[in-house]
Amino acid sequence: MKNYESLDNALSDLRKKGYEDDFTTQTSCLYCSDLDMRLDPEDFHVDEIDRVDGNSKQGDGKMLYAISSSTGVKGTIVVEGNDAA
């Protein structure tokens, strides 16, 4: 796990590694609006987890997950502050 000062730096590093698509969490899956793609838990793997602290209060940072799907799609998920697990 890397610690980044800004979300832009973290995303830039992951984009260089091919993690191009942005996913969000839904009730039972991940969703990418650009691809209109839903991934169930068995359809993706978390490759990397990074922390973004920035200038926020301690415990109020973000977690950035780099994921890859079973079909080869690579993307990221940003989880805010207290929602980060």
Side-chain angles (χ1 to χ4, degrees):
M1 179 188 310
K2 293 183 183 178
N3 288 318
Y4 287 93
E5 291 286 325
S6 77
L7 184 59
D8 287 340
N9 289 344
L11 287 170
S12 177
D13 278 357
L14 289 174
R15 299 274 188 257
K16 291 174 189 173
K17 296 177 183 179
Y19 296 91
E20 296 290 332
D21 298 300
D22 298 315
F23 285 83
T24 59
T25 57
Q26 291 189 335
T27 302
S28 61
C29 66
L30 299 180
Y31 180 69
C32 177
S33 61
D34 289 342
L35 300 174
D36 193 25
M37 172 186 275
R38 285 177 175 75
L39 295 175
D40 292 322
E42 63 273 6
D43 296 331
F44 69 90
H45 180 265
V46 176
D47 300 323
E48 185 175 327
I49 303 171
D50 297 314
R51 181 168 186 79
V52 181
D53 290 320
N55 294 326
S56 62
K57 298 176 186 173
Q58 187 172 1
D60 195 30
K62 296 176 177 69
M63 297 300 287
L64 178 60
Y65 297 83
I67 63 153
S68 56
S69 76
S70 55
T71 60
V73 173
K74 294 171 85 172
T76 58
I77 308 157
V78 177
V79 179
E80 299 287 331
N82 293 332
D83 294 334

